[in-house]
Amino acid sequence: MSEMLVVHQDNDAFAVLVRDHVVQVDQPYSAGGMDGGPTPVELFVASLAACAAHSARKHLMRHSLPAEGLEVTAGFAMNADAPARVSRIVLWLRPRVPVPDEAVDGLRRAVETCTVHNSIFDAPRIGVHVETASKAA
């Protein structure tokens, strides 16, 4: 199983250590944070958008279609009621060069089968284990 580590830094700010990379997460000023990075929810949506972009680029390349300059915009909405969750995500793919009509469905299917998209639709089981200070020492 792959692992990453999240370490508290200050107030609502955390550092996410992934392999040799550090991603800062925080809350915006309006929520009491220092806005030192995206929120965990924004990072969640960004991971879907990045996965979609990666899958779209690979699909375009496989079909000898221009992939340079591809952009993906992600919009999201939060659930108005409890429990707090992302209730809707919309992705807009914008290849720099028009994609032929006959290739659009294949491109959409490639994005709809990216790893993060698949993980949302067939959600992983999540285990939570709490280690008390006495056990962690």
Side-chain angles (χ1 to χ4, degrees):
M1 176 179 285
S2 297
E3 290 186 355
M4 58 186 73
L5 176 64
V6 179
V7 179
H8 179 249
Q9 293 187 309
D10 187 36
N11 296 324
D12 287 332
F14 291 83
V16 182
L17 289 76
V18 182
R19 297 188 335 267
D20 293 332
H21 308 281
V22 179
V23 178
Q24 302 295 327
V25 296
D26 199 355
Q27 295 297 311
Y29 293 115
S30 61
M34 294 304 295
D35 206 17
T39 68
V41 171
E42 291 167 336
L43 200 55
F44 167 70
V45 175
S47 70
L48 175 63
C51 190
H54 176 77
S55 294
R57 180 183 174 281
K58 291 291 190 184
H59 178 82
L60 292 169
M61 303 265 309
R62 263 194 316 275
H63 294 280
S64 301
L65 295 167
E68 295 301 316
L70 172 69
E71 293 181 354
V72 175
T73 298
F76 71 98
M78 298 299 293
N79 193 31
D81 302 319
R85 68 180 188 86
V86 174
S87 61
R88 183 168 185 238
I89 301 172
V90 178
L91 301 175
W92 291 274
L93 276 71
R94 283 187 301 283
R96 183 175 243 168
V97 176
V99 174
D101 289 342
E102 62 273 11
V104 170
D105 284 341
L107 180 57
R108 184 180 299 109
R109 280 192 306 276
V111 168
E112 290 174 343
T113 58
C114 81
T115 303
V116 175
H117 191 277
N118 289 342
S119 298
I120 293 169
F121 275 93
D122 186 9
R125 286 157 296 291
I126 300 171
V128 177
H129 304 275
V130 177
E131 293 182 6
T132 63
S134 60
K135 286 185 179 180

